[in-house]
Coordinates of all heavy atoms in Angstrom, one line a residue:
N1 N -38.6 -16.7 13.8 CA -38.2 -17.2 12.5 C -36.7 -17.4 12.5 O -36.0 -16.4 12.6 CB -38.7 -16.3 11.4 CG -38.7 -17.0 10.0 OD1 -37.9 -17.8 9.7 ND2 -39.8 -16.7 9.3
V2 N -36.2 -18.6 12.3 CA -34.7 -18.8 12.4 C -33.9 -18.2 11.3 O -32.7 -17.9 11.4 CB -34.4 -20.3 12.4 CG1 -35.0 -21.0 13.6 CG2 -34.8 -21.0 11.1
Y3 N -34.6 -17.9 10.1 CA -33.8 -17.3 9.0 C -34.1 -15.8 8.8 O -33.7 -15.3 7.8 CB -34.1 -18.1 7.7 CG -35.6 -18.4 7.4 CD1 -36.4 -17.5 6.8 CD2 -36.1 -19.6 7.9 CE1 -37.7 -17.8 6.5 CE2 -37.4 -19.9 7.6 CZ -38.2 -19.0 7.0 OH -39.6 -19.2 6.8
V4 N -34.8 -15.2 9.7 CA -35.0 -13.7 9.7 C -34.0 -13.2 10.7 O -34.1 -13.6 11.9 CB -36.4 -13.3 10.0 CG1 -36.5 -11.8 10.1 CG2 -37.3 -13.8 8.9
Q5 N -33.2 -12.3 10.4 CA -32.2 -11.7 11.3 C -32.3 -10.2 11.4 O -32.4 -9.6 10.3 CB -30.8 -12.2 10.8 CG -30.6 -13.7 10.8 CD -29.2 -14.1 10.2 OE1 -28.5 -13.2 9.6 NE2 -28.9 -15.3 10.4
G6 N -32.2 -9.7 12.6 CA -32.2 -8.3 12.8 C -30.8 -7.8 12.4 O -29.8 -8.5 12.7
N7 N -30.7 -6.6 11.7 CA -29.4 -6.2 11.3 C -28.8 -5.1 12.2 O -27.7 -4.5 11.9 CB -29.4 -5.7 9.8 CG -30.3 -4.5 9.6 OD1 -30.8 -3.9 10.6 ND2 -30.7 -4.3 8.4
G8 N -29.5 -4.8 13.3 CA -28.9 -3.9 14.3 C -29.1 -2.4 14.0 O -28.6 -1.5 14.7
R9 N -29.8 -2.1 12.9 CA -30.0 -0.7 12.6 C -31.5 -0.4 12.7 O -32.4 -1.2 12.6 CB -29.6 -0.4 11.1 CG -28.1 -0.6 10.9 CD -27.7 -0.2 9.5 NE -28.3 -1.0 8.5 CZ -29.0 -0.6 7.4 NH1 -29.2 0.7 7.3 NH2 -29.4 -1.5 6.6
H10 N -31.8 0.9 13.0 CA -33.2 1.4 13.2 C -34.0 0.5 14.2 O -35.1 0.0 13.9 CB -33.9 1.4 11.8 CG -33.3 2.3 10.8 ND1 -33.3 3.7 10.9 CD2 -32.6 2.0 9.7 CE1 -32.7 4.2 9.9 NE2 -32.2 3.2 9.1
E11 N -33.3 0.3 15.3 CA -33.9 -0.7 16.3 C -35.3 -0.2 16.8 O -36.1 -1.0 17.2 CB -33.0 -0.9 17.4 CG -31.7 -1.6 17.0 CD -30.8 -1.9 18.2 OE1 -31.2 -1.5 19.3 OE2 -29.7 -2.5 18.0
E12 N -35.5 1.1 16.8 CA -36.8 1.6 17.2 C -38.0 1.2 16.4 O -39.1 1.1 16.8 CB -36.8 3.2 17.3 CG -36.7 3.9 16.0 CD -35.3 4.1 15.6 OE1 -34.4 3.4 16.0 OE2 -35.0 5.1 14.8
F13 N -37.6 0.9 15.1 CA -38.7 0.4 14.2 C -38.6 -1.1 14.0 O -39.5 -1.8 13.6 CB -38.6 1.1 12.8 CG -38.8 2.6 12.9 CD1 -37.9 3.5 12.4 CD2 -39.9 3.1 13.6 CE1 -38.0 4.8 12.5 CE2 -40.1 4.5 13.7 CZ -39.2 5.3 13.2
G14 N -37.3 -1.6 14.1 CA -37.1 -3.1 13.8 C -36.8 -3.3 12.3 O -37.6 -3.2 11.4
E15 N -35.5 -3.5 12.1 CA -35.0 -3.7 10.7 C -34.4 -5.1 10.6 O -33.6 -5.5 11.4 CB -34.0 -2.6 10.3 CG -33.6 -2.7 8.8 CD -33.2 -1.3 8.3 OE1 -33.5 -0.3 8.9 OE2 -32.4 -1.3 7.3
Y16 N -34.8 -5.8 9.4 CA -34.4 -7.2 9.3 C -33.9 -7.5 7.9 O -34.2 -6.8 7.0 CB -35.6 -8.1 9.6 CG -36.3 -7.8 10.9 CD1 -37.3 -6.8 11.0 CD2 -35.9 -8.4 12.1 CE1 -37.9 -6.5 12.2 CE2 -36.5 -8.1 13.3 CZ -37.5 -7.2 13.4 OH -38.1 -6.9 14.6
S17 N -33.3 -8.6 7.8 CA -32.9 -9.2 6.5 C -33.3 -10.7 6.5 O -33.3 -11.3 7.6 CB -31.5 -9.0 6.2 OG -30.7 -9.7 7.1
V18 N -33.6 -11.2 5.3 CA -34.0 -12.6 5.2 C -33.3 -13.2 4.0 O -33.4 -12.5 2.9 CB -35.5 -12.8 5.2 CG1 -36.2 -12.0 4.1 CG2 -35.9 -14.3 5.1
I19 N -32.7 -14.3 4.1 CA -32.1 -15.0 3.0 C -32.9 -16.3 2.7 O -32.9 -17.2 3.6 CB -30.6 -15.3 3.2 CG1 -29.8 -14.0 3.5 CG2 -30.0 -16.0 2.1 CD1 -28.4 -14.2 3.8
L20 N -33.5 -16.3 1.6 CA -34.3 -17.5 1.2 C -33.7 -18.1 -0.1 O -32.8 -17.5 -0.7 CB -35.7 -17.0 0.9 CG -36.5 -16.4 2.1 CD1 -37.7 -15.7 1.6 CD2 -36.9 -17.5 3.1
P21 N -34.1 -19.3 -0.5 CA -33.6 -19.9 -1.7 C -33.8 -19.0 -2.9 O -35.0 -18.8 -3.3 CB -34.3 -21.2 -1.8 CG -34.8 -21.5 -0.4 CD -35.1 -20.2 0.2
G22 N -32.8 -18.5 -3.5 CA -32.9 -17.7 -4.7 C -33.4 -16.3 -4.4 O -33.7 -15.6 -5.4
C23 N -33.5 -15.9 -3.2 CA -34.0 -14.6 -2.9 C -33.4 -14.0 -1.6 O -33.3 -14.7 -0.6 CB -35.6 -14.7 -2.8 SG -36.4 -13.3 -2.2
R24 N -33.2 -12.7 -1.6 CA -32.7 -12.0 -0.4 C -33.5 -10.7 -0.3 O -33.7 -10.0 -1.3 CB -31.2 -11.7 -0.5 CG -30.6 -11.0 0.7 CD -29.2 -10.6 0.4 NE -28.6 -10.0 1.7 CZ -27.7 -10.6 2.4 NH1 -27.3 -11.8 2.0 NH2 -27.2 -10.1 3.5
A25 N -34.0 -10.5 0.9 CA -34.9 -9.3 1.1 C -34.5 -8.6 2.4 O -34.1 -9.2 3.3 CB -36.4 -9.7 1.1
S26 N -34.6 -7.3 2.4 CA -34.4 -6.4 3.6 C -35.7 -5.7 3.8 O -36.4 -5.2 2.9 CB -33.3 -5.5 3.4 OG -32.1 -6.1 3.2
F27 N -36.2 -5.6 5.1 CA -37.4 -5.0 5.4 C -37.4 -4.4 6.8 O -36.5 -4.7 7.6 CB -38.6 -5.9 5.2 CG -38.5 -7.1 6.2 CD1 -39.2 -7.1 7.4 CD2 -37.8 -8.3 5.8 CE1 -39.2 -8.2 8.2 CE2 -37.8 -9.4 6.7 CZ -38.4 -9.3 7.9
R28 N -38.3 -3.5 7.0 CA -38.4 -2.9 8.4 C -39.8 -2.8 8.8 O -40.7 -2.8 8.0 CB -37.7 -1.5 8.4 CG -38.4 -0.4 7.7 CD -37.8 0.9 8.0 NE -36.5 1.0 7.5 CZ -36.0 1.6 6.4 NH1 -36.9 2.1 5.6 NH2 -34.8 1.6 6.1
K29 N -40.0 -2.8 10.1 CA -41.3 -2.6 10.7 C -41.4 -1.2 11.1 O -40.6 -0.7 12.0 CB -41.5 -3.6 11.9 CG -42.9 -3.6 12.5 CD -43.0 -4.7 13.6 CE -44.4 -4.8 14.0 NZ -44.6 -5.8 15.0
N30 N -42.3 -0.5 10.5 CA -42.4 1.0 10.8 C -43.2 1.3 12.0 O -43.7 0.4 12.7 CB -42.9 1.7 9.5 CG -44.3 1.3 9.1 OD1 -45.1 0.9 10.0 ND2 -44.6 1.4 7.8
N31 N -43.4 2.6 12.3 CA -44.0 2.9 13.5 C -45.5 2.7 13.5 O -46.2 2.8 14.6 CB -43.8 4.4 13.9 CG -44.1 5.3 12.7 OD1 -44.6 4.9 11.7 ND2 -43.8 6.6 12.9
T32 N -46.1 2.3 12.4 CA -47.5 1.9 12.4 C -47.7 0.4 12.6 O -48.8 -0.1 12.7 CB -48.1 2.2 11.0 OG1 -47.6 1.4 10.0 CG2 -47.9 3.7 10.7
G33 N -46.6 -0.4 12.6 CA -46.6 -1.8 12.8 C -46.6 -2.6 11.5 O -46.5 -3.8 11.5
A34 N -46.6 -1.9 10.4 CA -46.6 -2.5 9.1 C -45.2 -2.9 8.7 O -44.2 -2.2 9.1 CB -47.3 -1.7 8.0
F35 N -45.0 -3.9 7.8 CA -43.7 -4.3 7.3 C -43.5 -3.7 5.9 O -44.4 -3.7 5.1 CB -43.6 -5.8 7.2 CG -43.4 -6.5 8.5 CD1 -44.4 -7.3 9.0 CD2 -42.2 -6.3 9.3 CE1 -44.2 -7.9 10.3 CE2 -42.1 -6.9 10.5 CZ -43.1 -7.7 11.0
Y36 N -42.3 -3.1 5.7 CA -42.0 -2.5 4.4 C -40.8 -3.1 3.8 O -39.7 -3.0 4.4 CB -41.8 -1.0 4.6 CG -41.2 -0.2 3.5 CD1 -41.8 -0.2 2.2 CD2 -40.0 0.4 3.6 CE1 -41.2 0.4 1.1 CE2 -39.4 1.1 2.6 CZ -40.0 1.1 1.3 OH -39.4 1.8 0.3
I37 N -40.9 -3.8 2.7 CA -39.8 -4.4 2.0 C -39.2 -3.4 1.1 O -39.8 -3.0 0.1 CB -40.2 -5.7 1.2 CG1 -40.9 -6.7 2.2 CG2 -39.0 -6.4 0.5 CD1 -41.5 -7.9 1.5
Y38 N -37.9 -3.0 1.4 CA -37.3 -1.9 0.6 C -36.2 -2.5 -0.3 O -35.7 -1.7 -1.2 CB -36.8 -0.8 1.4 CG -35.8 -1.2 2.5 CD1 -34.4 -1.3 2.1 CD2 -36.1 -1.6 3.8 CE1 -33.5 -1.7 3.1 CE2 -35.2 -2.0 4.7 CZ -33.9 -2.0 4.4 OH -32.9 -2.4 5.3
S39 N -35.8 -3.7 -0.2 CA -34.7 -4.3 -1.0 C -35.1 -5.7 -1.3 O -35.5 -6.5 -0.4 CB -33.4 -4.2 -0.3 OG -32.4 -4.9 -1.0
L40 N -35.0 -6.1 -2.6 CA -35.3 -7.5 -3.0 C -34.4 -7.9 -4.1 O -34.3 -7.2 -5.1 CB -36.8 -7.5 -3.5 CG -37.3 -8.9 -3.9 CD1 -37.3 -9.9 -2.8 CD2 -38.7 -8.8 -4.6
E41 N -33.7 -9.0 -3.9 CA -32.8 -9.5 -4.9 C -33.2 -10.9 -5.2 O -33.4 -11.7 -4.3 CB -31.3 -9.6 -4.4 CG -30.8 -8.2 -4.0 CD -29.4 -8.3 -3.3 OE1 -28.7 -9.3 -3.6 OE2 -29.1 -7.5 -2.4
V42 N -33.4 -11.2 -6.5 CA -33.9 -12.5 -6.9 C -32.9 -13.1 -7.9 O -32.5 -12.5 -8.9 CB -35.3 -12.4 -7.6 CG1 -35.7 -13.8 -8.1 CG2 -36.3 -11.9 -6.6
D43 N -32.5 -14.4 -7.7 CA -31.6 -15.1 -8.6 C -32.5 -15.9 -9.5 O -32.9 -17.0 -9.2 CB -30.7 -16.0 -7.7 CG -29.6 -16.7 -8.6 OD1 -29.7 -16.6 -9.8 OD2 -28.7 -17.3 -8.0
G44 N -32.6 -15.4 -10.7 CA -33.5 -16.1 -11.7 C -32.8 -17.4 -12.2 O -33.5 -18.2 -12.9
N45 N -31.6 -17.6 -11.9 CA -30.9 -18.8 -12.4 C -30.9 -19.9 -11.3 O -30.1 -20.9 -11.5 CB -29.4 -18.5 -12.8 CG -29.4 -17.5 -14.0 OD1 -30.1 -17.7 -14.9 ND2 -28.5 -16.6 -13.9
F46 N -31.6 -19.7 -10.3 CA -31.6 -20.7 -9.2 C -31.9 -22.1 -9.6 O -31.2 -23.1 -9.2 CB -32.5 -20.3 -8.0 CG -32.3 -21.0 -6.8 CD1 -31.3 -20.6 -5.9 CD2 -33.0 -22.1 -6.4 CE1 -31.1 -21.3 -4.7 CE2 -32.8 -22.8 -5.3 CZ -31.8 -22.4 -4.4

């Protein structure tokens, strides 16, 4: 995915950020293989 970028932290699990129209999210892939979104910013005025 061209707009999903690894942020260089927690590489053993895989930590990423994604910037979408009106939305920014940070998530990681944990040791079970599941994705966990722990930060979400939404621009309601987009």
Side-chain angles (χ1 to χ4, degrees):
N1 203 317
V2 297
Y3 46 87
V4 174
Q5 300 174 346
N7 62 16
R9 297 185 293 127
H10 300 290
E11 292 182 1
E12 66 271 24
F13 299 126
E15 187 155 336
Y16 308 90
S17 62
V18 56
I19 300 177
L20 298 165
C23 173
R24 182 187 186 107
S26 296
F27 62 95
R28 70 171 61 100
K29 188 172 186 178
N30 63 29
N31 53 5
T32 68
F35 288 112
Y36 167 60
I37 301 171
Y38 60 86
S39 175
L40 181 65
E41 301 171 29
V42 177
D43 186 351
N45 295 319
F46 192 84

